[in-house]
Amino acid sequence: MHRSAPRLSRILACAAVPVMLVVAGCSSDSGDKKESGSSDSSASASATKKAEPTVEPAKFAALPDPCKSITKKTVTSLVPKAKSKNGTAATSSDTSSRAGCSWNGLDDNGVKGSQYRWLDVGFTRFDSDPSLGSGAKRAQQDFDKQIAKAKAAEGAKKVAEAPVSGIGEQATKITYDLTKTSEDFKYATIVARTENVVVTLTYNGAGYAGSKTPSAGDILKGAEKAAKEAVAAVAAADTDSAKPSGSATPDKKTTDKADDPKSSDSDSSDRKTTDKKSSAHKSSVKKTS
């Protein structure tokens, strides 16, 4: 009995060695599995990042001052007796995305009648958005909406639509006749898109007190001229916004005569002329505007 006890102890000690090795082996396998799982997670995260949608950046990040987007010379030509030569800016909560300006006036020719003109320009800019698409794509959608809106003008007659070349990347003209305040108006709307910006310009006119109605051709020609200047102003505004602070210089071609002392005299003269209008003409203008 005494001899068998040491022998039994040696047998148990030898038997314990393989068990320890097996445990160590299992611990090693467990570690390998954890490392493998971590690697798979990293690969999955990387794949998710690569799968995120991307859109082309919008080209234009700013809009021009709408009341300066059309030169004073052109405004004077299209609206000879504008109530405000500087235009009336449209209300906007974010002028970097939406802006507009309008001019209107009555050129009183006494017994020969009067000519009324109205000019309006609007800008809408779209940013690129992963969920909505690129700025250019969103502008394209608005371009189509603005055309449909112009064609659906209430009371419009003889509505015609046609593409226009040389104005932005794409442009469409919509012309129609409209009777209001008992006078026949000629309308022309130009909808143009330049990258991620949509420009909508409308020009119309009518003859009062027996004065001849302006021709549709003249109204359309004026609208196209103003639209070209408005589209060009978009690119100019983007260039100016990219310049370092204090480096911008005025463009001689687009700088108006607002700083010229004679300009204020002209405005004063226009106001005196306007004050001499007959009450009948004033009533017609109020109804029209």
Side-chain angles (χ1 to χ4, degrees):
M1 293 295 294
H2 292 291
R3 292 182 179 178
S4 62
R7 182 179 181 186
L8 180 59
S9 297
R10 288 195 298 272
I11 293 173
L12 291 175
C14 292
V17 174
V19 173
M20 294 175 64
L21 293 176
V22 170
V23 172
C26 290
S27 297
S28 177
D29 290 344
S30 176
D32 291 343
K33 289 181 179 180
K34 287 182 179 179
E35 292 177 1
S36 176
S38 177
S39 177
D40 291 342
S41 297
S42 299
S44 177
S46 177
T48 301
K49 290 182 179 180
K50 291 181 179 179
E52 290 180 356
T54 58
V55 293
E56 182 182 358
K59 181 175 181 178
F60 298 121
L63 288 178
D65 180 336
C67 293
K68 293 182 179 179
S69 63
I70 300 174
T71 64
K72 279 290 184 65
K73 181 179 179 181
T74 297
V75 169
T76 300
S77 173
L78 300 183
V79 190
K81 296 297 180 179
K83 292 180 180 179
S84 173
K85 292 185 180 297
N86 293 323
T88 302
T91 301
S92 175
S93 58
D94 183 5
T95 54
S96 68
S97 297
R98 188 180 297 273
C101 190
S102 63
W103 300 260
N104 72 85
L106 185 72
D107 186 5
D108 190 352
N109 295 308
V111 295
K112 294 182 180 181
S114 303
Q115 287 290 325
Y116 176 79
R117 295 291 185 273
W118 186 74
L119 175 66
D120 177 271
V121 63
F123 299 87
T124 307
R125 186 183 65 82
F126 297 87
D127 287 320
S128 294
D129 187 298
S131 62
L132 300 176
S134 67
K137 179 181 178 181
R138 297 176 66 194
Q140 174 66 62
Q141 295 171 343
D142 187 67
F143 173 81
D144 295 334
K145 290 180 181 179
Q146 294 303 322
I147 293 174
K149 182 179 179 180
K151 291 169 61 178
E154 184 177 358
K157 299 176 293 184
K158 298 181 181 180
V159 180
E161 172 191 355
V164 182
S165 60
I167 303 178
E169 291 182 47
Q170 59 181 146
T172 295
K173 60 183 178 182
I174 302 95
T175 57
Y176 56 89
D177 296 345
L178 187 63
T179 300
K180 55 183 180 179
T181 63
S182 301
E183 303 296 342
D184 296 325
F185 280 72
K186 295 294 183 181
Y187 272 77
T189 294
I190 305 295
V191 181
R193 181 182 70 83
T194 174
E195 291 291 342
N196 58 309
V197 175
V198 175
V199 178
T200 303
L201 184 138
T202 298
Y203 181 49
N204 69 67
Y208 278 87
S211 185
K212 186 178 180 181
T213 300
S215 70
D218 287 343
I219 293 296
L220 177 59
K221 184 178 179 180
E224 291 180 343
K225 176 178 176 59
K228 287 181 180 180
E229 292 185 5
V231 169
V234 175
D238 189 70
T239 300
D240 290 341
S241 66
K243 292 180 179 180
S245 176
S247 65
T249 55
D251 184 350
K252 292 183 179 180
K253 294 183 179 180
T254 58
T255 301
D256 55 53
K257 299 179 181 179
D259 296 329
D260 188 341
K262 296 181 180 180
S263 178
S264 59
D265 293 338
S266 178
D267 288 345
S268 176
S269 177
D270 288 341
R271 285 195 293 272
K272 291 179 180 178
T273 301
T274 302
D275 291 338
K276 295 180 181 179
K277 297 174 185 175
S278 65
S279 59
H281 291 330
K282 290 181 178 179
S283 176
S284 298
V285 175
K286 288 182 179 179
K287 292 181 181 179
T288 304
S289 58

